[in-house]
Amino acid sequence: MHRSALVPLILSAALLAGGCGRAVEGRPTADAWVPTADNPDPSLSLDGIEVVDYPPAYHVLPNYRVAYTFSPPMGGRHDNAWATCTGVVYPEAVRTENMVHSLEHGAVWIAYDPAALDDGEIAALAARVEGEPYLMMSPYPGMDRRISLQSWGHRLAVESSDDERIDRFVSALRLNPNTFPEPGATCATLPTTFDTANPPAFVESAPDPASPLTLPE
């Protein structure tokens, strides 16, 4: 072989010896925000996390409303039809009872106050969600926080779309079988049960406690 042809081969061998071929001391460590047998709910380490123990909940009919304790809610009774949660970014607010059902399936819901966020912040949140399984996002008018993350029995308020806790919340709780009641349930829907292009409308006013169509959480 010609001498000049040996040079790249020698350089390649040297790189391998100094890189992939070299043993690295220590042991690999798991992502601290991914659930493990020893740490089944990593979200408990998040600053500001709210946690409520919700059992599987009853379904309500489309003409009923639920008097949720929290706004946005993170569990409780919900509509029989779940909101599509296959990485959908809803441009308009969606009926709360449908969104809560998706949490029971293992989804994470990112809600935001449309009066508090500018277009850039909304776009940054949408980039995290769009097309990602078991994620969904929607405006939620009138809430007392700029951005709110929900999974079943878990809620977290953040002020900024670049808060690192957003990704940590998603890693810890999306499809975490230790934290939601229905592992294996789908996030997909049929238009006959839930029309993603024309979802049930959000109602901002509080449910009337005297109405027979209002149910407790």
Side-chain angles (χ1 to χ4, degrees), residues 37 55 67 70 79 101 106 124 135 179 182 189 191 196:
F70 301 94
D79 194 271
H101 191 159
L135 284 181
T179 60
E182 297 185 3
T189 56
T196 306

Side-chain angles (χ1 to χ4, degrees), residues 30-179:
D31 185 331
W33 303 103
V34 174
T36 64
D38 294 330
N39 187 17
D41 185 0
S43 76
L44 299 179
S45 297
L46 288 170
D47 184 35
I49 192 74
E50 300 171 82
V51 180
V52 174
D53 184 16
Y54 284 106
Y58 293 109
H59 293 167
V60 303
L61 296 174
N63 58 330
Y64 278 75
R65 297 191 65 194
V66 178
Y68 290 110
T69 303
F70 301 94
S71 183
M74 52 175 155
R77 295 180 194 239
H78 48 263
D79 194 271
N80 183 63
W82 59 93
T84 309
C85 43
T86 53
V88 178
V89 176
Y90 292 97
E92 304 293 337
V94 179
R95 181 169 174 261
T96 303
E97 287 81 358
N98 298 92
M99 300 296 272
V100 171
H101 191 159
S102 302
L103 305 182
E104 194 178 46
H105 287 203
V108 169
W109 170 24
I110 299 180
Y112 65 92
D113 181 354
L117 269 63
D118 61 32
D119 291 345
E121 291 175 295
I122 295 171
L125 290 174
R128 283 181 159 98
V129 173
E130 196 162 21
E132 293 294 329
Y134 291 86
L135 284 181
M136 58 185 184
M137 171 179 159
S138 71
Y140 195 96
M143 67 181 186
D144 62 355
R145 46 187 66 192
R146 299 184 82 241
I147 302 167
S148 187
L149 313 175
Q150 287 72 229
S151 72
W152 188 260
H154 296 71
R155 194 170 75 137
L156 177 70
V158 298
E159 287 296 309
S160 171
S161 59
D162 61 5
D163 193 309
E164 64 185 4
R165 290 176 297 167
I166 297 174
D167 291 333
R168 291 174 177 178
F169 186 98
V170 173
S171 293
L173 294 167
R174 178 172 57 163
L175 284 179
N176 181 343
N178 306 297
T179 60

